[in-house]
Amino acid sequence: MSDQIHLRIGAEPWRPADSAKIDRVLNHYDIPLAGILRQHRNYFIFECLEGHTKDANIWAYAKIDRLELKAIRKAKGEDLQQLFSRILNSRTFTAALAIDHSIEISAEVQPAQLKVAPAAAAQPVEAPKVAASHAIHIKADRVQSAGTLAAAW
């Protein structure tokens, strides 16, 4: 089975699939903005990377192991944010674009994309957001190009 979370288009980003259950909400502002999900006996962190007060926002989902799960459950404040940042900067994760609390498109973000993100050198916390936005734009362009190509047939 893949190390990436399975998402359902149209799902709420904090409940990204019928098979994904919230284990713990770690940041809440009107909606859950960060936390831990469980899906198919695996744990994942989720976080709204950008746009939490807007209609469109970018989310990240990364698989975590049992040691990371324990550390996250104990962490608070800045320590928790540093843990999330370290996790997202260290592995492939799934990024999703949600509009009006509905997942519209998702894309995988590879560690190599994080290293080339313009913000990566200056601010590691910003690298996942920049890389996620870039990956989603690329995927959206591909979907649009495929639609245009299909319409031409």
mmCIF file of all heavy atoms in Angstrom, residues 67-89:
data_model
loop_
_atom_site.group_PDB
_atom_site.id
_atom_site.type_symbol
_atom_site.label_atom_id
_atom_site.label_comp_id
_atom_site.label_asym_id
_atom_site.label_seq_id
_atom_site.Cartn_x
_atom_site.Cartn_y
_atom_site.Cartn_z
ATOM 1 N N LEU A 67 6.810 6.650 16.586
ATOM 2 C CA LEU A 67 7.622 7.559 17.402
ATOM 3 C C LEU A 67 7.225 9.016 17.153
ATOM 4 O O LEU A 67 7.129 9.806 18.095
ATOM 5 C CB LEU A 67 9.114 7.353 17.126
ATOM 6 C CG LEU A 67 9.713 6.049 17.633
ATOM 7 C CD1 LEU A 67 11.165 5.908 17.183
ATOM 8 C CD2 LEU A 67 9.617 5.980 19.150
ATOM 9 N N GLU A 68 7.001 9.343 15.883
ATOM 10 C CA GLU A 68 6.569 10.706 15.554
ATOM 11 C C GLU A 68 5.186 10.977 16.134
ATOM 12 O O GLU A 68 4.923 12.078 16.635
ATOM 13 C CB GLU A 68 6.568 10.911 14.037
ATOM 14 C CG GLU A 68 7.961 10.926 13.451
ATOM 15 C CD GLU A 68 7.985 10.811 11.942
ATOM 16 O OE1 GLU A 68 7.099 10.138 11.354
ATOM 17 O OE2 GLU A 68 8.904 11.402 11.330
ATOM 18 N N LEU A 69 4.317 9.984 16.082
ATOM 19 C CA LEU A 69 2.979 10.117 16.653
ATOM 20 C C LEU A 69 3.060 10.463 18.139
ATOM 21 O O LEU A 69 2.407 11.394 18.607
ATOM 22 C CB LEU A 69 2.182 8.828 16.444
ATOM 23 C CG LEU A 69 0.788 8.765 17.054
ATOM 24 C CD1 LEU A 69 -0.133 9.785 16.407
ATOM 25 C CD2 LEU A 69 0.220 7.348 16.895
ATOM 26 N N LYS A 70 3.892 9.739 18.877
ATOM 27 C CA LYS A 70 4.058 10.010 20.310
ATOM 28 C C LYS A 70 4.618 11.402 20.555
ATOM 29 O O LYS A 70 4.157 12.123 21.440
ATOM 30 C CB LYS A 70 4.967 8.959 20.943
ATOM 31 C CG LYS A 70 4.321 7.609 21.094
ATOM 32 C CD LYS A 70 5.282 6.611 21.711
ATOM 33 C CE LYS A 70 4.650 5.226 21.764
ATOM 34 N NZ LYS A 70 5.567 4.221 22.310
ATOM 35 N N ALA A 71 5.614 11.786 19.769
ATOM 36 C CA ALA A 71 6.223 13.109 19.926
ATOM 37 C C ALA A 71 5.209 14.218 19.634
ATOM 38 O O ALA A 71 5.153 15.225 20.356
ATOM 39 C CB ALA A 71 7.436 13.242 19.009
ATOM 40 N N ILE A 72 4.393 14.033 18.601
ATOM 41 C CA ILE A 72 3.392 15.044 18.237
ATOM 42 C C ILE A 72 2.348 15.172 19.347
ATOM 43 O O ILE A 72 1.939 16.279 19.690
ATOM 44 C CB ILE A 72 2.738 14.701 16.882
ATOM 45 C CG1 ILE A 72 3.756 14.905 15.760
ATOM 46 C CG2 ILE A 72 1.488 15.541 16.638
ATOM 47 C CD1 ILE A 72 3.333 14.320 14.426
ATOM 48 N N ARG A 73 1.923 14.055 19.886
ATOM 49 C CA ARG A 73 0.913 14.093 20.955
ATOM 50 C C ARG A 73 1.408 14.823 22.198
ATOM 51 O O ARG A 73 0.620 15.391 22.943
ATOM 52 C CB ARG A 73 0.463 12.680 21.303
ATOM 53 C CG ARG A 73 -0.440 12.078 20.247
ATOM 54 C CD ARG A 73 -0.863 10.688 20.611
ATOM 55 N NE ARG A 73 -1.879 10.192 19.680
ATOM 56 C CZ ARG A 73 -2.225 8.938 19.587
ATOM 57 N NH1 ARG A 73 -1.657 8.024 20.371
ATOM 58 N NH2 ARG A 73 -3.142 8.561 18.727
ATOM 59 N N LYS A 74 2.712 14.824 22.429
ATOM 60 C CA LYS A 74 3.292 15.491 23.597
ATOM 61 C C LYS A 74 3.642 16.952 23.337
ATOM 62 O O LYS A 74 3.708 17.743 24.269
ATOM 63 C CB LYS A 74 4.557 14.759 24.047
ATOM 64 C CG LYS A 74 4.299 13.401 24.628
ATOM 65 C CD LYS A 74 5.610 12.740 25.023
ATOM 66 C CE LYS A 74 5.381 11.332 25.522
ATOM 67 N NZ LYS A 74 6.645 10.648 25.837
ATOM 68 N N ALA A 75 3.905 17.306 22.084
ATOM 69 C CA ALA A 75 4.407 18.638 21.735
ATOM 70 C C ALA A 75 3.317 19.706 21.823
ATOM 71 O O ALA A 75 2.129 19.423 21.643
ATOM 72 C CB ALA A 75 4.999 18.620 20.336
ATOM 73 N N LYS A 76 3.747 20.914 22.056
ATOM 74 C CA LYS A 76 2.847 22.070 22.110
ATOM 75 C C LYS A 76 3.535 23.268 21.457
ATOM 76 O O LYS A 76 4.752 23.345 21.390
ATOM 77 C CB LYS A 76 2.514 22.408 23.556
ATOM 78 C CG LYS A 76 1.835 21.286 24.314
ATOM 79 C CD LYS A 76 0.710 21.831 25.153
ATOM 80 C CE LYS A 76 0.053 20.812 26.019
ATOM 81 N NZ LYS A 76 -0.498 19.655 25.381
ATOM 82 N N GLY A 77 2.734 24.194 20.979
ATOM 83 C CA GLY A 77 3.231 25.474 20.472
ATOM 84 C C GLY A 77 4.294 25.355 19.407
ATOM 85 O O GLY A 77 4.139 24.652 18.416
ATOM 86 N N GLU A 78 5.397 26.064 19.629
ATOM 87 C CA GLU A 78 6.493 26.125 18.664
ATOM 88 C C GLU A 78 7.114 24.749 18.419
ATOM 89 O O GLU A 78 7.502 24.431 17.297
ATOM 90 C CB GLU A 78 7.558 27.115 19.135
ATOM 91 C CG GLU A 78 8.670 27.361 18.142
ATOM 92 C CD GLU A 78 8.199 27.983 16.827
ATOM 93 O OE1 GLU A 78 7.211 28.746 16.841
ATOM 94 O OE2 GLU A 78 8.824 27.704 15.793
ATOM 95 N N ASP A 79 7.193 23.919 19.461
ATOM 96 C CA ASP A 79 7.743 22.570 19.290
ATOM 97 C C ASP A 79 6.890 21.752 18.316
ATOM 98 O O ASP A 79 7.423 21.012 17.488
ATOM 99 C CB ASP A 79 7.824 21.831 20.634
ATOM 100 C CG ASP A 79 8.889 22.412 21.548
ATOM 101 O OD1 ASP A 79 9.815 23.085 21.033
ATOM 102 O OD2 ASP A 79 8.797 22.182 22.767
ATOM 103 N N LEU A 80 5.586 21.900 18.411
ATOM 104 C CA LEU A 80 4.685 21.188 17.506
ATOM 105 C C LEU A 80 4.876 21.680 16.072
ATOM 106 O O LEU A 80 4.966 20.868 15.139
ATOM 107 C CB LEU A 80 3.234 21.376 17.948
ATOM 108 C CG LEU A 80 2.179 20.665 17.118
ATOM 109 C CD1 LEU A 80 2.388 19.150 17.157
ATOM 110 C CD2 LEU A 80 0.791 21.027 17.622
ATOM 111 N N GLN A 81 4.966 22.987 15.884
ATOM 112 C CA GLN A 81 5.165 23.532 14.539
ATOM 113 C C GLN A 81 6.496 23.070 13.955
ATOM 114 O O GLN A 81 6.587 22.740 12.775
ATOM 115 C CB GLN A 81 5.085 25.062 14.549
ATOM 116 C CG GLN A 81 5.138 25.680 13.169
ATOM 117 C CD GLN A 81 4.063 25.137 12.239
ATOM 118 O OE1 GLN A 81 2.890 25.113 12.566
ATOM 119 N NE2 GLN A 81 4.454 24.672 11.063
ATOM 120 N N GLN A 82 7.530 23.011 14.769
ATOM 121 C CA GLN A 82 8.833 22.533 14.288
ATOM 122 C C GLN A 82 8.774 21.057 13.894
ATOM 123 O O GLN A 82 9.382 20.653 12.904
ATOM 124 C CB GLN A 82 9.907 22.768 15.342
ATOM 125 C CG GLN A 82 10.297 24.218 15.473
ATOM 126 C CD GLN A 82 11.332 24.445 16.563
ATOM 127 O OE1 GLN A 82 11.774 23.523 17.238
ATOM 128 N NE2 GLN A 82 11.727 25.706 16.734
ATOM 129 N N LEU A 83 8.041 20.250 14.653
ATOM 130 C CA LEU A 83 7.868 18.840 14.306
ATOM 131 C C LEU A 83 7.165 18.696 12.958
ATOM 132 O O LEU A 83 7.597 17.924 12.097
ATOM 133 C CB LEU A 83 7.030 18.135 15.377
ATOM 134 C CG LEU A 83 7.761 17.394 16.470
ATOM 135 C CD1 LEU A 83 6.777 16.942 17.547
ATOM 136 C CD2 LEU A 83 8.513 16.214 15.919
ATOM 137 N N PHE A 84 6.069 19.428 12.773
ATOM 138 C CA PHE A 84 5.338 19.375 11.502
ATOM 139 C C PHE A 84 6.252 19.814 10.358
ATOM 140 O O PHE A 84 6.281 19.177 9.306
ATOM 141 C CB PHE A 84 4.094 20.268 11.556
ATOM 142 C CG PHE A 84 2.850 19.557 12.015
ATOM 143 C CD1 PHE A 84 2.827 18.847 13.195
ATOM 144 C CD2 PHE A 84 1.694 19.622 11.267
ATOM 145 C CE1 PHE A 84 1.683 18.194 13.620
ATOM 146 C CE2 PHE A 84 0.542 18.973 11.671
ATOM 147 C CZ PHE A 84 0.537 18.258 12.852
ATOM 148 N N SER A 85 6.993 20.884 10.561
ATOM 149 C CA SER A 85 7.896 21.386 9.530
ATOM 150 C C SER A 85 8.960 20.347 9.195
ATOM 151 O O SER A 85 9.240 20.089 8.015
ATOM 152 C CB SER A 85 8.552 22.682 10.006
ATOM 153 O OG SER A 85 9.437 23.167 9.028
ATOM 154 N N ARG A 86 9.554 19.727 10.202
ATOM 155 C CA ARG A 86 10.578 18.709 9.969
ATOM 156 C C ARG A 86 10.000 17.524 9.199
ATOM 157 O O ARG A 86 10.614 17.012 8.265
ATOM 158 C CB ARG A 86 11.184 18.249 11.298
ATOM 159 C CG ARG A 86 12.408 17.361 11.090
ATOM 160 C CD ARG A 86 13.085 16.971 12.377
ATOM 161 N NE ARG A 86 12.331 15.872 12.978
ATOM 162 C CZ ARG A 86 11.828 15.878 14.200
ATOM 163 N NH1 ARG A 86 12.001 16.913 14.991
ATOM 164 N NH2 ARG A 86 11.154 14.844 14.669
ATOM 165 N N ILE A 87 8.810 17.099 9.567
ATOM 166 C CA ILE A 87 8.169 15.977 8.881
ATOM 167 C C ILE A 87 7.896 16.320 7.417
ATOM 168 O O ILE A 87 8.241 15.555 6.514
ATOM 169 C CB ILE A 87 6.867 15.560 9.608
ATOM 170 C CG1 ILE A 87 7.219 14.890 10.949
ATOM 171 C CG2 ILE A 87 6.010 14.645 8.735
ATOM 172 C CD1 ILE A 87 6.044 14.738 11.895
ATOM 173 N N LEU A 88 7.292 17.457 7.167
ATOM 174 C CA LEU A 88 6.950 17.830 5.788
ATOM 175 C C LEU A 88 8.184 18.076 4.929
ATOM 176 O O LEU A 88 8.148 17.864 3.717
ATOM 177 C CB LEU A 88 6.038 19.053 5.773
ATOM 178 C CG LEU A 88 4.632 18.832 6.328
ATOM 179 C CD1 LEU A 88 3.862 20.137 6.366
ATOM 180 C CD2 LEU A 88 3.881 17.774 5.541
ATOM 181 N N ASN A 89 9.278 18.512 5.552
ATOM 182 C CA ASN A 89 10.511 18.750 4.805
ATOM 183 C C ASN A 89 11.330 17.486 4.586
ATOM 184 O O ASN A 89 12.308 17.515 3.841
ATOM 185 C CB ASN A 89 11.372 19.802 5.511
ATOM 186 C CG ASN A 89 10.930 21.206 5.201
ATOM 187 O OD1 ASN A 89 10.960 21.630 4.054
ATOM 188 N ND2 ASN A 89 10.473 21.930 6.206
#
